[in-house]
Amino acid sequence: MTLTSAPRRSAPAVARAAGPRRDHGAWFLVLPALLPILVLSLGPLLYGIGLAFTDAQSGRTQATGFVGLLNFSDLFRDTLFWDSFRIGLVWAFGVTVPQFFLALGLALLLNLDLRLRWLARALAIIPWAMPEVVVGIMWRLVYHPDAGVLNETLRDLGLSGADGRDWLSGLATALPAVILVGVWAGMPQTTVTLLAGLQNVPGELHEAAAMDGAGAWRRFRAVTWPALRPVALAVTALNFIWNFNSFALVFVLTDGGPGGRTRLPMLFAYEEAFRYGQFGYAAAMGLAMVAVISVLLALYLVGRLKGDDER
Amino acid sequence: MSGTERPAGGRRAEAGRRTGRPGGARRAATRTGQYTALLAYLLFLAFPFLWLVSTAFKPPRELGSLHPTWIPEAPTLENFRLAFEQQPLLAAAGNSLLAAAASALVAIALATPMAYILARYRGRLSRAATGWVVVSQAFPLVLVIIPLFLILKGLHLVDSRTGLIMVYVVWSLPFALWMLTGYVRAVPPELEEAAAVDGAGRVRTLVSVTAPLLAPGIAATALFAFVTAWNEFFFALVLLKSPEKQTLPVVLTHFIGTEGVADLGPLAAAALLATLPSLLVFAVIQRRITGGMLAGAVKS
């Protein structure tokens, strides 16, 4: 987690060797990427933040006007928005937490000398590589009330009658059903990252602890976890952000239905902006999402710094 | 540092030694538990995909039957033919290919020089760039897409392939920078110092010394950018309106919504086909991607 590393430390030597042309050359190399970033990423971001304080609408002839905090006070009173926000948090935690523990379990298993490990690694690629739209379509086939494998399996096990459940349209089942898909879709990437992190775990220490008679759990707590912690924190924070901002998966699975039970904040904002043309209002929603993420990111950074202090 | 691709050879050997020790019943029980857990994971990971494959090869009669089976009784390729008939899949795949290939190439061309500078010089720019990479991962797309939509509209680039490619380029830059910076750091600067002593300028050093060593990393990053754009849905959904310009993921969603049971077959077939390029590319680059990501995440 620290910044020092051998090649970087000696980097200034290159700079010195290259002499006075240094700055000139550096800018020449940086500008091709920097310009598009400024024009098409940083610029739009600032523009978007600005839009949140206007009454911008799609296809409007009147000039867009500054409305101050009006969008936010509207947002504050918008119960649909709060519902969507609550669903977004349930979704983000509901996906990120099981995702992490399942991935950790799998990563620890794959780090052992087991047979079939290659198969697991190969299978892990599938959800990771698939277009999100295809993941959604695939799980629609799994959940399909008539032709789906889930209902068929439950029927075979005698757990359900002849009429299959419509998982994605049921008010009670829709959100858990999409959360399961979210867990499935993100687990491999988390696993592979954690697995790579496990390679930082000092094997000799593990060996020594085992000699001393430490059980598997104690070895995990004392040896594995401290080495894995930075990777685990980083991947969990990123997963949470990605999940909170996710769109395509649920758009394909339920399009926010039934009755808005799975309408994540991104789906809500998308509808506001591109179905109803409320650009300003949707931008304000985006800012509210940023606020939530920032708070969580700050907590994560504090945790990360604290972790560094402990060592 | 150069941990971009370090197989766990040593550790694996140790693990082998550990397990090779005579263990007794408890050891065997642990092993059984481990294999049971691994099998459960394998099933969980594989079954939706197997079901997709199975559905893609089922004739309509089986799809409509009350008891769908895992293995089609009368496998057929009919669904693939129907899929191409029902939606303009070929044109959509062409659009996706163009957008993905063009944006990957441009992104790499822009990002490699900057990644080099970021890796070799730790200044304000480097810190700002790292900060931006993190921030760009954190903000919700809706906050970017509305202004982008307005900007592109002003440039008459809404509903245009060029506009979409531009967005994909900028969208894949953070990750490309992130990974490439890691790869550059893995190249020992001593090599460059030697070239500099020999009187080569920075650009020449970069082109003749560093770039060849970076080639595998650059290729992996480009392929990753390709897959990301190939799979992308949200920007394409918002920015492209004409049916003939739409990319594969957007066209796939057109199968959904009106589907009767009989249409599930073509839907599955099309979804399967759309996945194949991504799977192939990922099979090739998976290890490198992990390494690059980790180098970025942990070492920055």
Side-chain angles (χ1 to χ4, degrees), chain A residues 138-157 167, chain B residues 46-52 54-55 58 66-71 264:
Chain A
M138 192 171 72
W139 279 86
R140 280 180 78 112
L141 297 175
V142 169
Y143 284 138
H144 198 281
D146 305 316
V149 69
L150 184 60
N151 278 338
E152 177 58 18
T153 310
L154 290 178
R155 271 195 294 265
D156 284 351
L157 296 173
W167 299 93
Chain B
F47 90 89
F49 185 67
L50 293 178
W51 191 248
L52 175 72
S54 161
T55 308
K58 269 182 197 159
L66 240 186
H67 292 287
T69 51
W70 274 100
I71 298 171
L264 291 178

Side-chain angles (χ1 to χ4, degrees), chain A residues 8 11 18 29 33 44 102 112 115 117 121 129 131 134 140 147 149 152 155 184 192 199 201 242 245 283, chain B residues 6 11-12 34-35 41 44 51 66-67 70 110 113 120 137-138 143 147 185 202 231 256 275 278 287 290:
Chain A
R8 272 161 149 217
L29 294 173
L102 281 174
L112 296 171
R115 251 165 263 175
R117 204 164 50 164
R121 282 174 189 257
V134 172
R140 280 180 78 112
V149 69
E152 177 58 18
R155 271 195 294 265
W184 183 89
V192 173
Q199 296 177 5
V201 177
W242 284 330
N245 290 336
Chain B
R6 201 181 42 192
R11 199 124 314 123
R12 223 171 271 161
Q34 285 165 349
Y35 273 107
Y41 272 114
F44 178 57
W51 191 248
L66 240 186
H67 292 287
W70 274 100
L110 299 181
R120 288 290 186 251
Q137 291 297 311
L143 207 53
R185 287 198 192 127
R202 169 148 319 93
N231 292 350
I256 304 176
T275 308
S278 313
R287 281 187 154 266
T290 325

Side-chain angles (χ1 to χ4, degrees), chain B residues 53 85 179 253 268 299:
Chain B
V53 176
E85 211 169 75
M179 287 175 61
T253 61
K299 304 279 159 54

